[in-house]
Amino acid sequence: MTLTPAPEPVVPRPGPEIRPTATGHRAPESAHGPDADTGPGPDAGLGRDTGHDPDAGPGRDLDLGPDAGPGPLLPRAVCEAALTALLLFLIVTAVRWLVGPDPGAAAARPAVLGAVVGTLLALFMVSPPGRCSGGHLNPAVSLALWRLGVFPGREVVPYAVAQLTGSVFGVWCAGLVWGPVTARPPVRHASVRADPAWGDAAVLAAEAGVLAGSTLMLAVLLASPGGRRVLPYAVGLTTALVIGVLGPLSGGSANPARQFGPALLAGDTGRLWVYALGPAVGAVLGAWLAGRTGLRRPAR
């Protein structure tokens, strides 16, 4: 009789633990353990606010469209510089054709120019470059968004440098295209000037007040998805009203980049510090008021 060895017992190999899910089915657990990171969840994405990553860019926070999201700083700064340059080029162009042919039309300039600039801002903010960078086009806006907790503080200076550089470049290009008429009165590279009755303190207060109010508006609109959708148009309308109402009085700049290039090339730098300091003070003040009302997030 031939003896056949008994078969070895089958020992089950360790496998993934099976645990019930919320729907009653059974799903395998990750081989790395119950606490393993299984990757981003369904809500992760460039166009969603996933907790305000400190490395995130302004596009996510402004939520201006499906292309908004974080990205490298350099391309976003380039977009800011390009949009600011285009904005200033078109502003000088508008002033050249509104006022240059007929100096007597200066009285009608602020309302028309306000409508033009407000429309351009809204269009730039929803454009692909605006979605990439957040479409600030204003160093005081970048400062305000930082103080509101929706923009990284370390990117405020690079954005401001890009915006001011774009301002100078845009005004310089307008001079090349339209010739010496842009440097002569009444165009003067579209440099803004306050009414002679307005002193430095009055202009500074007006500039600061506009930015404080605008910062509060940003805080309110950024607090809700519905507000974010209308944000570009609200900014455009506010800008148009500021230029139309305050243009003949304080100059209605409310944007250091708006005045920097024109004043520099026109040699009209006497009050440049007012038009730079006023909006910055207003941005900080507006963010502080937003914090007092519970609208501000912790600054990053």
Side-chain angles (χ1 to χ4, degrees):
M1 181 177 63
T2 303
L3 298 179
T4 303
E8 297 180 1
V10 178
V11 179
R13 295 180 179 179
E17 179 183 348
I18 306 299
R19 57 180 179 182
T21 64
T23 57
H25 300 287
R26 299 169 68 85
E29 187 180 76
S30 170
H32 298 287
D35 297 328
D37 183 2
T38 57
D43 292 334
L46 295 180
R48 297 179 176 88
D49 187 354
T50 56
H52 299 282
D53 181 357
D55 294 328
R60 171 184 294 181
D61 296 304
L62 291 178
D63 197 20
L64 297 180
D67 297 330
L73 173 60
L74 182 59
R76 291 186 283 112
V78 169
C79 287
E80 281 290 301
L83 288 175
T84 307
L86 182 57
L87 177 65
L88 266 295
F89 174 85
L90 294 175
I91 288 176
V92 176
T93 299
V95 173
R96 185 259 179 269
W97 289 107
L98 282 172
V99 181
D102 181 13
R109 180 182 68 180
V112 178
L113 185 62
V116 170
V117 176
T119 302
L120 289 174
L121 276 178
L123 292 176
F124 287 175
M125 290 178 71
V126 299
S127 68
R131 291 170 183 252
C132 173
S133 69
H136 300 184
L137 310 181
N138 185 340
V141 169
S142 300
L143 177 62
L145 292 174
W146 168 47
R147 297 311 304 159
L148 288 174
V150 295
F151 186 68
R154 65 181 178 275
E155 295 186 0
V156 172
V157 171
Y159 260 53
V161 170
Q163 293 151 356
L164 296 178
T165 302
S167 173
V168 175
F169 184 71
V171 176
W172 179 74
C173 288
L176 288 181
V177 172
W178 303 119
V181 67
T182 61
R184 295 194 296 261
V187 180
R188 298 190 320 273
H189 295 293
S191 177
V192 301
R193 284 190 175 183
D195 185 275
W198 283 59
D200 291 347
V203 175
L204 191 147
E207 294 284 297
V210 168
L211 256 295
S214 298
T215 302
L216 287 172
M217 180 190 72
L218 288 175
V220 172
L221 293 178
L222 288 171
S224 66
R228 295 183 180 207
R229 285 192 292 269
V230 303
L231 177 59
Y233 313 105
V235 170
L237 178 59
T238 301
T239 301
L241 292 174
V242 168
I243 295 174
V245 174
L246 291 178
L249 303 175
S250 67
S253 172
N255 180 350
R258 162 64 182 90
Q259 179 66 348
F260 183 73
L264 205 62
L265 271 69
D268 189 17
T269 57
R271 278 188 169 176
L272 184 56
W273 69 272
V274 176
Y275 290 106
L277 180 61
V281 171
V284 174
L285 177 61
W288 178 80
L289 292 173
R292 299 289 293 179
T293 57
L295 293 173
R296 186 184 69 184
R297 296 168 183 166
R300 296 190 272 152

